[in-house]
Amino acid sequence: MLKPPALGFGLGLRVDHYEAILADRPPVDWFEVLTENYLVPGGKPLHYLTRIRERYPLVMHGVSMSIGSTAALDREYLRQVKALAARVEPAWISDHLCWTGVAGRNTHDLLPLPYTEEALALVVDRLRHVQERLGRRILVENVSSYAPLEASRQATELLACCLEDGLIARVIST
């Protein structure tokens, strides 16, 4: 199993802290950025992100890749993620193992997957395609779950299968 680089102590980058980070250079080893906040080319957020990246390593964490969806992968979204990654050179890119939309609309919620053989096959295939498009491996964060489900697999088994297949570098559990 591949492991992401150990970067030390990191914090989530928030708009309210841009100026303080640049002025005070806090003793933080790296910052996590919410990918979707920086996908629009240009603008103030991207300007600050570029300046902060000059001083600190970054990691990108997304919430809209929808790896568990049965809908087609959003190629435009993946193109934007890849372009942002080329710009800020993150130590890693991560997203949640879930689905986030229906009929082309993002619900802005991390919706759970069934723990079935069919879901596993779908996730394995989609992870391969996502990583091919991005040209790099990604990290996958915990499976969303709101209630216990009857299933042929448990969430840990689902993740273990993805790890064994070499599809994800590591699972982050929060």
Side-chain angles (χ1 to χ4, degrees):
M1 168 176 50
L2 298 173
K3 292 187 177 184
L7 300 179
F9 176 73
L11 291 174
L13 182 62
R14 302 293 181 263
V15 174
D16 293 346
H17 303 133
Y18 289 162
E19 290 292 341
I21 291 166
L22 291 170
D24 302 335
R25 293 186 181 231
V28 175
D29 297 314
W30 56 276
F31 286 99
E32 177 188 77
V33 301
L34 183 60
T35 301
E36 289 76 9
N37 289 348
Y38 303 96
L39 295 181
V40 177
K44 212 170 197 180
L46 200 51
H47 166 76
Y48 278 107
L49 184 65
T50 301
R51 290 182 57 206
I52 291 168
R53 174 60 183 101
E54 291 169 356
R55 298 173 182 164
Y56 294 93
L58 299 175
V59 302
M60 291 169 44
H61 177 67
V63 293
S64 298
M65 202 170 287
S66 208
I67 294 166
S69 175
T70 58
L73 287 168
D74 184 341
R75 291 181 179 187
E76 178 59 18
Y77 173 80
L78 293 174
R79 186 197 62 74
Q80 292 173 331
V81 170
K82 185 174 183 174
L84 180 62
R87 182 176 187 143
V88 301
E89 300 174 333
W92 65 77
I93 297 173
S94 65
D95 207 298
H96 290 268
L97 188 51
C98 66
W99 57 286
T100 58
V102 176
R105 294 186 183 259
N106 192 328
T107 64
H108 302 284
D109 200 1
L110 306 175
L111 303 168
L113 301 177
Y115 306 146
T116 63
E117 295 296 325
E118 294 82 11
L120 174 61
L122 174 77
V123 165
V124 165
D125 184 57
R126 288 176 70 87
L127 282 170
R128 278 195 184 108
H129 287 291
V130 164
Q131 291 177 139
E132 285 172 10
R133 288 219 176 259
L134 296 179
R136 64 190 301 158
R137 290 184 182 251
I138 64 168
L139 279 71
V140 175
E141 194 165 317
N142 56 307
V143 179
S144 296
S145 181
Y146 299 109
L149 300 172
E150 289 291 321
S152 61
R153 291 187 177 269
Q154 295 300 316
T156 52
E157 290 179 282
L158 185 86
L159 295 171
C161 288
C162 291
L163 283 167
E164 287 170 9
D165 205 18
L167 290 172
I168 51 179
R170 186 173 182 182
V171 178
I172 303 169
S173 181
T174 57

